[in-house]
């Protein structure tokens, strides 16, 4: 059954040398969302089928994300299009510019990763509780007229994630499923730790000139609740004190260390030409 969902799509590319590739993904997502709105397909009470909510390129970590929202069927279509374009670009060596001198001048700080198409997450979107927000959305065709069943919504997310993963598998990708898309409902953190090299990984730079199986591996799934990421960047006079402060903050917020429920966190080095000693997590 068609349900209201969100999707975060991550690729391990975010520097200047990948600009044309990233813009092609951005344009493809926008065009696909427009076509779905114009075409007759599975709809949900007249709601807009799919929208590109946000896109972000993180040059420091060579990582970019695309955030979608809409009906499960339409979001699945757009996400599959993004995955297809990204995989094809990597196979045809069209991700990085031949003259990538600007990117080489940027920070090579590594972000943990599973592969090139690193992570695809399709998640349930719950209805807003604020009356003013609900009224605004209903006037702009973003608000379904029927009540949402959380179980049906979670099932739709899992099925959409599995369909995206199946398409990627058919293109030669190794998929690690999690959440409602996996047979054991394993969490993303568990899958990353036990089934991939996520916590042992560096950047993808070392793999650019030689084949690396990790480049063709992805985590695809559906968490029980909507999940979003935030970066907190800390600066310090020296590396040791900066790392200590970032680690302390991360532990204070992270659930497994006694922090806030549902919060996960990583402490990562962050360097730039203007602040080489800064850290973020």
């Amino acid at each position: 059954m068609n349900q209201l969902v969100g999707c975060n799509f991550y690729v391990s590319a975010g520097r200047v040398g990948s600009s044309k590739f990233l813009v092609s993904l951005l344009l493809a997502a926008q065009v696909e969302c427009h076509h779905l709105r114009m075409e007759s397909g599975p709809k949900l009470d007249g709601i807009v089928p799919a929208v590109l909510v946000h896109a972000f390129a993180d040059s420091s970590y060579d990582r970019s994300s695309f955030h979608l929202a809409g009906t499960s069927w339409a979001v699945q279509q757009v996400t599959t299009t993004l995955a297809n374009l990204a995989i094809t670009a990597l196979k045809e060596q069209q991700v990085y510019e031949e003259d990538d001198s600007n990117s080489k001048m940027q920070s090579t700080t590594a972000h943990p990763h599973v592969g090139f198409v690193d992570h695809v997450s399709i998640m349930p979107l719950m209805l807003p509780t604020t009356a003013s927000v609900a009224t605004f959305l209903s006037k702009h065709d973003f608000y379904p007229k029927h009540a949402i069943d959380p179980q049906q919504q979670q099932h739709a997310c899992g099925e959409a994630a599995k369909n995206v993963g199946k398409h990627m598998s058919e293109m030669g990708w190794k998929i690690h499923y999690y959440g409602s898309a996996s047979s054991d409902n394993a969490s993303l953190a568990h899958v990353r730790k036990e089934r991939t090299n996520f916590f042992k990984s560096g950047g993808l730079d070392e793999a650019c000139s030689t084949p690396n199986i990790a480049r063709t591996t992805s985590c695809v799934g559906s968490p029980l609740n909507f999940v979003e990421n935030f970066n907190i960047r800390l600066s310090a006079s020296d590396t040791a004190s900066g790392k200590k402060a970032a680690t302390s903050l991360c532990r204070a917020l992270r659930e497994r260390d006694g922090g806030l429920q549902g919060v996960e966190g990583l402490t990562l080095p962050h360097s730039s030409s203007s602040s080489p000693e800064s850290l973020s997590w």
Side-chain angles (χ1 to χ4, degrees):
M1 183 177 181
N2 221 11
Q3 295 289 327
L4 189 62
V5 307
C7 175
N8 292 345
F9 180 90
Y10 299 90
V11 291
S12 298
R15 297 178 189 152
V16 174
S18 302
S19 296
K20 288 185 178 180
F21 161 69
L22 294 173
V23 169
S24 71
L25 291 186
L26 181 67
L27 179 60
Q30 292 173 325
V31 169
E32 184 76 2
C33 287
H34 176 74
H35 285 171
L36 289 169
R37 186 165 187 168
M38 297 296 103
E39 294 175 355
S40 58
K43 292 185 172 60
L44 182 63
D45 290 344
I47 195 172
V48 173
V51 292
L52 178 66
V53 179
H54 177 64
F56 175 67
D58 191 336
S59 60
S60 294
Y61 288 126
D62 200 20
R63 182 179 177 88
S64 297
S65 58
F66 299 81
H67 304 261
L68 304 163
T71 65
S72 51
W73 179 85
V75 168
Q76 172 191 313
Q77 301 306 305
V78 180
T79 306
T80 299
T81 295
L82 289 176
N84 182 74
L85 288 175
I87 292 172
T88 300
L90 185 66
K91 288 182 176 180
E92 297 179 356
Q93 299 182 345
Q94 296 178 348
V95 175
Y96 308 98
E97 294 292 306
E98 291 184 8
D99 182 12
D100 198 7
S101 56
N102 289 330
S103 289
K104 292 176 182 177
M105 294 295 292
Q106 297 180 18
S107 165
T108 56
T109 305
H111 189 287
H113 63 274
V114 172
F116 178 68
V117 180
D118 187 60
H119 179 202
V120 179
S121 178
I122 298 182
M123 309 162 287
L125 286 181
M126 305 308 293
L127 297 180
T129 56
T130 305
S132 59
V133 174
T135 300
F136 172 82
L137 294 177
S138 64
K139 289 181 179 179
H140 293 81
D141 296 331
F142 283 100
Y143 197 82
K145 300 179 179 63
H146 76 288
I148 285 183
D149 184 324
Q151 291 185 337
Q152 290 184 350
Q153 195 176 42
Q154 191 61 58
H155 175 74
C157 290
E159 289 302 304
K162 285 190 285 187
N163 288 335
V164 172
K166 179 182 178 182
H167 176 81
M168 295 172 66
S169 295
E170 292 171 349
M171 296 188 72
W173 240 241
K174 180 177 178 57
I175 305 300
H176 294 286
Y177 292 102
Y178 72 92
S180 59
S182 67
S183 58
D184 58 357
N185 204 36
S187 68
L188 174 62
H190 175 81
V191 170
R192 280 174 165 173
K193 181 178 180 180
E194 301 296 332
R195 304 173 190 175
T196 76
N197 291 320
F198 180 83
F199 292 104
K200 300 178 182 178
S201 60
L204 284 174
D205 289 352
E206 71 276 9
C208 288
S209 60
T210 58
N212 188 329
I213 189 64
R215 288 164 66 84
T216 59
T217 303
S218 300
C219 282
V220 178
S222 175
L224 295 177
N225 300 297
F226 181 81
V227 178
E228 191 53 277
N229 302 316
F230 300 91
N231 292 333
I232 300 177
R233 181 174 172 181
L234 304 179
S235 297
S237 57
D238 60 87
T239 301
S241 60
K243 182 177 181 180
K244 182 178 179 180
T247 301
S248 177
L249 177 59
C250 189
R251 287 176 176 171
L253 295 175
R254 192 164 51 198
E255 180 181 19
R256 68 180 176 88
D257 290 320
L260 302 175
Q261 182 179 1
V263 174
E264 298 179 6
L266 293 172
T267 302
L268 301 173
H270 181 286
S271 62
S272 68
S273 57
S274 60
S275 183
E277 301 300 336
S278 62
L279 290 175
S280 65
W281 68 273

